[in-house]
Structures are given as C-alpha cells and as structure tokens.
Amino acid sequence: MEARSREIAERFEVGGPVLSVDRHGEGHINATYVVTAGTRGGASRRYVLQRINRSVFRDPEAVVRNVERVTGHLRSKVLEEGGNPEREVLRLVRTADGAAPFARDGEGEVWRCYAMIERASAHSTVANPKQARTVGSAFGRFLRRLSDFPPHELEIALPGLHDAVAHLRALRGVARDDPLGRASEVQGELAFVEARRRPIETWMDLLSSGDVATRAIHGDTKVSNVLIDEGTGRGVCVIDLDTVMPGSALVDVGDFARSVLTGPESVGRGVDLALFDAAIRGYLGAAERLLTETEIEHVVQAARMIALELGIRFLADHVAGDRWFPVGNPGENLARCRVQLDLARRIEEREDEMATIVRRAVARSRRRRRRRPTTGDALRYRIDGGRTRP
C-alpha cells in the first residue's frame, strides 16, 4: 500500500518531486497519508492524500464531485467576506494533467488530494466553553455560506445516513439473527431503544414533512471536523466533506451539540450546560438568522435524536460483529453505544433547561444583529460569528 500511495501521489500536481508519503491519523473510513513534496524554490509543501473507502461510499467519484462543487462555492463566499480561502476552505488538487480532481489506481480505487492547511489541528473533544463556541461558529458559518447553494445539485453520498427509523429496523434484524450470540447481553439497550420508537418515528416525520427546509448540510458535524488555528484558537476550516448532501440543518446542529456533550467517545461526559450554551451561541451567532422558528424549536430534540440514532448504529454494529465501526477490542462499540444512549437519556431529563438556553441564544443573536456596526469592522464581526467588537 505504501508503494501504491507514493505512485498515486506522483500523479497529482504537487508542485515538485514527492519526497515522502506517510500514513496519517486514525480515521475509521478512508486511508489517509501526508505527502511532502519539494518545490522549485527548494522549500517543501505538504498535502493530504486519501483513498476513498468504496465499501462505505459506493460511488467515490460522486463524493469528489460534491466536494468540488461545495468548496468552489465556499471559496467564493470567503472571498466576498474578505477572508483567505486557502486557509478557510479545503482545496482539491487536480491531477498533473489537469484532467480531474481524483485519480484511480490499478485496482479501481479512487484517490483524492488536498492542500494541507498548516498550523491548524483538529480535536476529538472540546476542552472548555470557549472552544465549544469556536467550533460552533465554524459550523454556523459553514451552514450560512452554503445557504444559497442549491441542495439538489448535491448527490446523495450515503443514502439513509440519518434515517433513524431504518437504523432501528436494521438493529431489530441483526438482533433477531444474532450472528455472534451477543444479543442476550444487550437486552437493556434494546429495550431502551424500543421504548423510544414513537419519538424516533415522529422525528423522521418532521424531517420529511416540509416543515423544515432542505438545505446543503455537512452531515457529520462532530467536533473533530473543524480545524482550529494553533496561534489564534479560531476555527478556521470545516473538513471531512464526504457527507455533504441535501438535508435538514437540524441534523447538523443536533449532531454538533451531541458531539460537544459526548466528550470522550467511549467514556462520555453527560450534559454540561455551560458547554451546550457556548456551543449553541457560537453556532447560532455565526449562522445568523438562518434557522427558522420551527428549526429553533427542535434543536434540543435534534441533539437527543442524533445521539439515539448513533447509539442504535453502534449497538447494531456490536451485535453484528463490528463490521462498520473499527474497534480495538470486541466490546468497544457497545461502550460507544452506551455513551450515546446515556446522553439521550440525560438530554430527556434536562430538555427544558436546554430549550431555555437555545431561546436565550436566539434572543442574544438577534440583539447582536440589531447592534451590528456598518463600518469596515462589520466584516470581521460577521466572520467571527459575532465575537469581534468594533
């Protein structure tokens, strides 16, 4: 694989000879490498090379097409706002002949290459309310910048990704078949999920009812999908655009809130209201008045439902034999499931408090908009999600 990754790297326009290709990160889906290439001036530049997992994404070229469309749109928005698109938006590197933003190897695997955004890093959890607000602002800006992108121009990269009813149906099927004899140890979890069948169905009815808008959304707004500038601490770029597709903003804001509240994946942290408050203020402040009253009303439900949905997926994968989510030990997906189901339960217990936080964040955002400066400082105010003052 290492030899193949180097050969593929050399097929992209990286500005000079490939000096090294090193495996990078611990991603669950795609194989990722850091490519270091020389330049004519003698310096070096780094790139991120990825092989798209065909077992997950059945049409990898469609994934790349979506990324190309969305990043092109985002770059134009950043330029309009006076920002730096080379730092704030992922940039796909085309092949050396300029023919395509991806390359196929001899086995039919699809590879793509990004220019690396230096001096910025991703974090699996937020350390404090300030960081929660920073990440929320990045995701809110992302939604706002795509608000005029026609969602029908995006292809469905992962059909049914957030279809909680379908995930529940799949869980029932695998629990019935019980290929590894694991169902007996998760009867409590199965009962917990079944007791929430009607809320899950109501949630899916809401998403398909037309009462919430269909938008271009990220689809996987976990905390680690924002790069944070190592110097300023600002969220500079939203990454991992493979799941960008038509959907509801509730999925994005709900998944983001869930991710903030989850903490360590297999440990959890419960409902930290200070973190939730900061996260929602950051998201809504940067998204401005994009969310409708109906969407705002269901933000807390969205966080609960996405936690429940993910818990169902982890549980089904555990019973099936850990086929989807890689594990270091046989019980890891069950531990992940329990964290998400516990979070869903805790959100149920504190739903009223969390709804009050959302309403206050909305009111604060609206007051801030009325006070917005009209000088050149207004641009920085908008880009920073409402944090910069003139």
Side-chain angles (χ1 to χ4, degrees), residues 1-10 18-25 31-35 49 51 105 107 111:
M1 181 59 70
E2 301 303 324
R4 192 197 316 177
S5 63
R6 187 182 186 95
E7 184 271 328
I8 290 293
E10 291 171 344
V18 173
L19 304 178
S20 64
V21 180
D22 301 299
R23 194 66 187 261
H24 176 69
T32 304
Y33 301 83
V34 172
V35 176
L49 179 70
R51 186 188 76 245
D105 64 20
E107 297 181 8
W111 298 70

Side-chain angles (χ1 to χ4, degrees), residues 81 133-134 136-138 140-141 144-145 234-235 278 280-288 364-365 368 372 378-389:
E81 295 174 0
R133 185 170 180 175
T134 290
S137 294
R141 285 195 300 273
R144 174 172 53 76
R145 286 168 174 169
R234 179 175 178 266
I280 292 301
R281 282 192 290 126
Y283 192 98
L284 295 179
E288 298 179 346
R364 188 180 293 112
S365 176
R368 187 175 292 124
R372 175 167 298 172
L379 182 61
R380 295 197 304 277
Y381 185 97
R382 182 167 68 250
I383 292 173
D384 239 8
R387 288 175 296 164
T388 301
R389 293 290 186 269

Side-chain angles (χ1 to χ4, degrees), residues 67-87:
V67 172
E68 189 171 36
R69 292 169 185 142
V70 165
T71 53
H73 185 87
L74 291 171
R75 292 176 78 84
S76 67
K77 290 295 182 179
V78 172
L79 284 170
E80 287 175 11
E81 295 174 0
N84 179 3
E86 286 299 307
R87 191 150 183 81

Side-chain angles (χ1 to χ4, degrees), residues 125 257-270 307 339-340 343:
T125 63
R258 175 210 63 80
S259 178
V260 167
L261 294 174
T262 295
E265 190 177 61
S266 298
V267 179
R269 66 169 23 129
V339 167
Q340 296 303 323
L343 176 59

Side-chain angles (χ1 to χ4, degrees), residues 234-266:
R234 179 175 178 266
V236 291
C237 183
V238 173
I239 61 174
D240 195 357
L241 307 183
D242 291 349
T243 54
V244 169
M245 62 180 81
S248 167
L250 283 172
V251 169
D252 271 9
V253 68
D255 195 19
F256 164 58
R258 175 210 63 80
S259 178
V260 167
L261 294 174
T262 295
E265 190 177 61
S266 298

Side-chain angles (χ1 to χ4, degrees), residues 21-309:
V21 180
D22 301 299
R23 194 66 187 261
H24 176 69
E26 300 176 354
H28 290 174
I29 305 298
N30 302 319
T32 304
Y33 301 83
V34 172
V35 176
T36 302
T39 65
R40 294 180 181 86
S44 62
R45 239 193 123 169
R46 297 197 298 169
Y47 300 83
V48 177
L49 179 70
Q50 288 185 318
R51 186 188 76 245
I52 301 175
N53 190 328
R54 284 192 295 171
S55 298
V56 174
F57 299 102
R58 300 303 175 88
D59 188 351
E61 292 186 18
V63 172
V64 180
R65 286 193 295 268
N66 278 352
V67 172
E68 189 171 36
R69 292 169 185 142
V70 165
T71 53
H73 185 87
L74 291 171
R75 292 176 78 84
S76 67
K77 290 295 182 179
V78 172
L79 284 170
E80 287 175 11
E81 295 174 0
N84 179 3
E86 286 299 307
R87 191 150 183 81
E88 297 183 49
V89 185
L90 290 175
R91 177 171 66 83
L92 281 166
V93 178
R94 300 188 76 82
T95 51
D97 59 8
F102 63 87
R104 278 192 181 272
D105 64 20
E107 297 181 8
E109 303 287 353
V110 172
W111 298 70
R112 41 97 184 282
C113 183
Y114 292 113
M116 178 172 280
I117 297 174
E118 302 285 2
R119 303 178 306 284
S121 55
H123 303 263
S124 59
T125 63
V126 293
N128 50 55
K130 180 179 179 181
Q131 198 173 77
R133 185 170 180 175
T134 290
V135 176
S137 294
F139 279 131
R141 285 195 300 273
F142 182 89
L143 185 73
R144 174 172 53 76
R145 286 168 174 169
L146 285 182
S147 61
D148 58 348
F149 185 94
H152 66 270
E153 293 185 7
L154 294 173
E155 301 173 66
I156 307 297
L158 277 178
L161 175 61
H162 291 292
D163 187 339
V165 169
H167 291 311
L168 178 57
R169 190 182 308 121
L171 172 61
R172 289 171 179 156
V174 74
R176 181 183 61 249
D177 297 341
D178 197 14
L180 299 180
R182 293 179 173 180
S184 62
E185 68 177 337
V186 296
Q187 290 303 303
E189 288 77 15
L190 290 170
F192 180 92
V193 169
E194 284 295 339
R196 287 151 181 81
R197 175 181 59 85
R198 290 301 298 273
I200 291 172
E201 293 172 345
T202 301
W203 166 247
M204 292 309 301
D205 287 343
L206 171 67
L207 295 186
S208 61
S209 66
D211 291 338
V212 294
T214 297
R215 311 176 189 271
I217 66 169
H218 185 279
D220 187 19
T221 48
K222 56 179 177 282
V223 168
S224 59
N225 280 337
V226 170
L227 293 181
I228 297 178
D229 188 284
E230 294 171 358
T232 66
R234 179 175 178 266
V236 291
C237 183
V238 173
I239 61 174
D240 195 357
L241 307 183
D242 291 349
T243 54
V244 169
M245 62 180 81
S248 167
L250 283 172
V251 169
D252 271 9
V253 68
D255 195 19
F256 164 58
R258 175 210 63 80
S259 178
V260 167
L261 294 174
T262 295
E265 190 177 61
S266 298
V267 179
R269 66 169 23 129
V271 174
D272 185 323
L273 293 182
L275 286 180
F276 179 73
D277 182 33
I280 292 301
R281 282 192 290 126
Y283 192 98
L284 295 179
E288 298 179 346
R289 298 184 68 175
L290 187 61
L291 269 63
T292 66
E293 293 298 329
T294 299
E295 289 168 331
I296 290 166
E297 178 185 345
H298 290 90
V299 165
V300 179
Q301 181 190 13
R304 176 165 58 96
M305 286 296 117
I306 299 297
L308 191 55
E309 170 200 301

